[in-house]
């Protein structure tokens, strides 16, 4: 069994029924990843297609599953949001979900250059700092409990 926990950063975008599709995608992703955190959503102009504006956000999560399994799960979320090749062929993107970062490896290099990705990555970095603080606090709490338990054992021995 795989004991590694992989950090995953994903991007979400929709140019059709944007707010309801984004809400549905987030709900489905929360069922897949217990620790997922989403950035604010931002409206952007389409890149490379003619369409309505896109609503975009990023998310960070952790999983023991490997990249192929995660890609497959994200594809199922897209489909559940109504995304199809037929819609894509007429520039309707109900939901696009891409892995930007998996276990430290960057994907979709061109996306990393987009200003909204750069801005939203600042939120992702903030989430990482918060998570590390929470982890340190949890460890400190464990140490305090262990010390109290140790003192209790010594007091009972006397």
């Amino acid at each position: 069994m795989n004991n590694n926990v992989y950090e995953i950063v994903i991007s979400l975008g929709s140019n059709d029924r944007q707010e309801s599709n984004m809400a549905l995608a987030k709900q489905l992703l929360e069922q897949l990843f217990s620790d997922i955190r989403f950035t604010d959503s931002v409206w952007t102009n389409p890149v490379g297609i003619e369409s309505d504006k896109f609503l975009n956000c990023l998310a960070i999560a952790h999983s023991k599953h490997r990249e192929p399994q995660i890609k497959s799960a994200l594809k199922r979320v897209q489909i559940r949001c109504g995304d199809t090749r037929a819609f894509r062929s007429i520039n309707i993107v109900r939901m696009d979900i891409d892995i930007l970062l998996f276990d430290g490896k960057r994907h979709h290099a061109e996306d990393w250059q987009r200003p909204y990705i750069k801005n939203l990555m600042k939120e992702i970095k903030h989430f990482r700092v918060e998570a590390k603080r929470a982890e340190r606090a949890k460890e400190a709490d464990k140490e305090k409990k262990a010390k109290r338990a140790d003192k209790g054992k010594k007091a009972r021995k006397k």
Side-chain angles (χ1 to χ4, degrees):
M1 171 149 174
N2 177 23
N3 289 325
N4 292 336
V5 176
Y6 303 107
E7 182 184 80
I8 308 155
V9 175
I10 60 175
S11 64
L12 294 83
S14 175
N15 72 355
D16 182 63
R17 302 178 191 167
Q18 296 94 322
E19 290 168 337
S20 61
N21 282 329
M22 187 65 73
L24 176 58
K26 287 179 177 182
Q27 178 185 5
L28 294 169
L29 290 167
E30 285 170 342
Q31 293 171 14
L32 292 174
F33 304 103
S34 61
D35 71 335
I36 195 162
R37 301 266 320 258
F38 298 96
T39 64
D40 290 335
S41 294
V42 295
W43 292 95
T44 62
N45 291 318
V47 176
I49 65 170
E50 280 194 34
S51 77
D52 288 340
K53 286 190 173 215
F54 275 79
L55 184 61
N56 300 280
C57 77
L58 301 183
I60 185 169
H62 298 83
S63 177
K64 289 187 175 186
H65 295 286
R66 296 184 193 276
E67 192 171 348
Q69 289 88 1
I70 298 299
K71 281 184 180 180
S72 179
L74 297 179
K75 181 70 173 168
R76 287 191 301 274
V77 170
Q78 287 181 177
I79 292 167
R80 292 268 315 267
C81 291
D83 201 56
T84 66
R85 285 188 178 156
F87 279 130
R88 294 265 182 133
S89 72
I90 55 172
N91 294 340
I92 294 173
V93 180
R94 292 265 169 94
M95 182 52 57
D96 184 35
I97 305 175
D98 292 317
I99 297 173
L100 291 183
L101 189 72
F102 189 92
D103 194 33
K105 183 180 176 196
R106 284 186 175 199
H107 299 275
H108 301 278
E110 66 284 354
D111 290 351
W112 286 89
Q113 302 311 310
R114 295 189 176 143
Y116 80 92
I117 296 280
K118 289 178 180 181
N119 285 334
L120 293 178
M121 278 305 296
K122 292 175 187 172
E123 286 186 60
I124 295 292
K125 288 175 185 171
H126 179 73
F127 293 160
R128 286 178 177 144
V129 168
E130 284 179 345
K132 284 180 183 174
R133 264 192 214 125
E135 196 173 304
R136 283 194 299 268
K138 191 175 177 181
E139 288 299 316
D141 203 35
K142 276 185 188 177
E143 287 177 23
K144 285 179 188 176
K145 285 180 183 176
K147 284 180 183 177
R148 274 191 239 127
D150 194 42
K151 282 182 184 178
K153 286 179 188 176
K154 287 179 182 176
R156 284 191 291 274
K157 285 183 179 179
K158 287 182 180 181

